[in-house]
Amino acid sequence: MRKPLVAGNWKMFMTVAEARHLVADLVPRLQTVEGVQIVLCPPFTDLLAVAALLEGTNIGLGAQNMHWEPNGAYTGEISPLMLAELAKYVILGHSERRTYFHETDETVNRKVKAALEYGLIPIVCVGESLDENESNRTAEVVSRQMLKGLEGVDLSGGKEIVIAYEPVWAIGTGRAATPEGANQVLADVIRPALAELFGQEMSQVVRVLYGGSVKGDNAAQFFTMPDIDGALVGGASLKAEDFTRIAQAAASHS
Ligand code: 13P
């Protein structure tokens, strides 16, 4: 059985002071949620403060991006070697990175390999744009992102990845995918791609999340779907009550 995972992507929100406040509010609420892996992904500048507050809890910590080199003359970048001291997870290939910062399947692929090499668990984001969706290219686009983004990735030795299916048109729009529609992409495109890359058995082991306008009041319906193993949450992860409700919904389906 795949353990549900609920990750909060804080995006470019929260100063250190705000982050401390939110995490202090979240920890006691989330402490009683069992059977779910909860992960917070704040901006880099919050990682140290949040790591200190999460010590001794069962809440994991992740970053939102990284470079693929361990170090070097790359002004403004953060490396997997640096992250590995602070975090266990890293979101890679988010559509905002692909759209605004020109990330490609090739750079995502380098990052995934580097993250695994440094013991991080990548949360790899895939998903089609509105235009691609409306022209019936979802399967083609998501399949390409999976096969190219994960080409040559080696999951032997207990290495782990997580996939997040985030249709771009559902992100921050309040217009979530239907649970059935999202599940269909997971079942028909993402798990078959995982089978092609890593074998049939692994395709049933890797956790696949849904992301895009997941809130406290719509989360439960996603978790009843057989292929959806959790959620990658943006806006609602900045609100302690909403994020807790999402984690609780995942717990009741674990
Ligand atoms: P929203 O939950 O705000 O739609 O964002 C989803 C997302 O991009 C998570 O990575």
Side-chain angles (χ1 to χ4, degrees):
M1 273 308 287
R2 302 181 295 262
K3 186 176 180 174
L5 193 159
V6 172
N9 174 8
W10 291 8
K11 307 194 179 183
M12 197 174 73
F13 292 97
M14 297 283 143
T15 64
V16 175
E18 288 167 343
R20 285 204 175 102
H21 195 260
L22 176 59
V23 176
D25 193 357
L26 273 172
V27 166
R29 292 174 190 257
L30 294 175
Q31 228 38 313
T32 55
V33 179
E34 281 175 15
V36 182
Q37 176 64 60
I38 299 164
V39 178
L40 305 182
C41 302
F44 294 129
T45 45
D46 295 338
L47 284 174
L48 199 55
V50 174
L53 289 170
L54 294 183
E55 222 174 281
T57 74
N58 52 9
I59 305 168
L61 185 60
Q64 300 173 15
N65 177 38
M66 53 167 234
H67 196 275
W68 55 83
E69 292 289 343
N71 39 47
Y74 300 103
T75 301
E77 291 292 317
I78 303 281
S79 86
L81 176 67
M82 296 164 176
L83 282 185
E85 282 186 358
L86 291 168
K88 189 168 167 198
Y89 297 81
V90 60
I91 297 171
L92 295 176
H94 192 281
S95 64
E96 288 150 16
R97 304 249 13 124
R98 293 179 193 253
T99 304
Y100 305 134
F101 304 100
H102 314 297
E103 293 201 11
T104 62
D105 294 331
E106 287 69 29
T107 57
V108 172
N109 184 257
R110 285 184 174 201
K111 291 179 181 200
V112 171
K113 288 176 180 164
L116 290 168
E117 192 181 331
Y118 286 89
L120 295 159
I121 300 175
I123 301 175
V124 183
C125 301
V126 296
E128 82 286 4
S129 68
L130 181 62
D131 183 48
E132 290 160 346
N133 181 279
E134 287 177 343
S135 53
N136 292 321
R137 290 169 57 213
T138 299
E140 171 204 326
V141 169
V142 172
S143 179
R144 188 208 70 223
Q145 290 172 335
M146 288 289 301
L147 297 176
K148 289 242 185 268
L150 301 178
E151 190 178 353
V153 167
D154 177 11
L155 292 183
S156 61
K159 290 197 190 85
E160 197 183 330
I161 57 164
V162 175
I163 308 297
Y165 171 56
E166 298 207 315
V168 179
W169 48 269
I171 296 176
T173 58
R175 188 184 151 209
T178 62
E180 295 76 16
N183 194 77
Q184 196 180 352
V185 176
L186 271 57
D188 295 352
V189 183
I190 295 181
R191 292 209 190 273
L194 287 169
E196 193 174 328
L197 288 156
F198 307 117
Q200 187 58 33
E201 199 182 321
M202 270 313 258
S203 76
Q204 299 304 312
V205 170
V206 172
R207 287 179 291 186
V208 186
L209 316 179
Y210 167 73
S213 296
V214 176
K215 310 284 175 207
D217 54 15
N218 69 2
Q221 45 180 337
F222 290 101
F223 303 143
T224 61
M225 293 289 131
D227 287 289
I228 299 179
D229 304 316
L232 182 55
V233 184
S237 73
L238 301 171
K239 298 174 200 141
E241 199 181 322
D242 230 11
F243 191 62
T244 304
R245 276 182 72 198
I246 296 168
Q248 283 166 341
S252 60
H253 288 98
S254 63

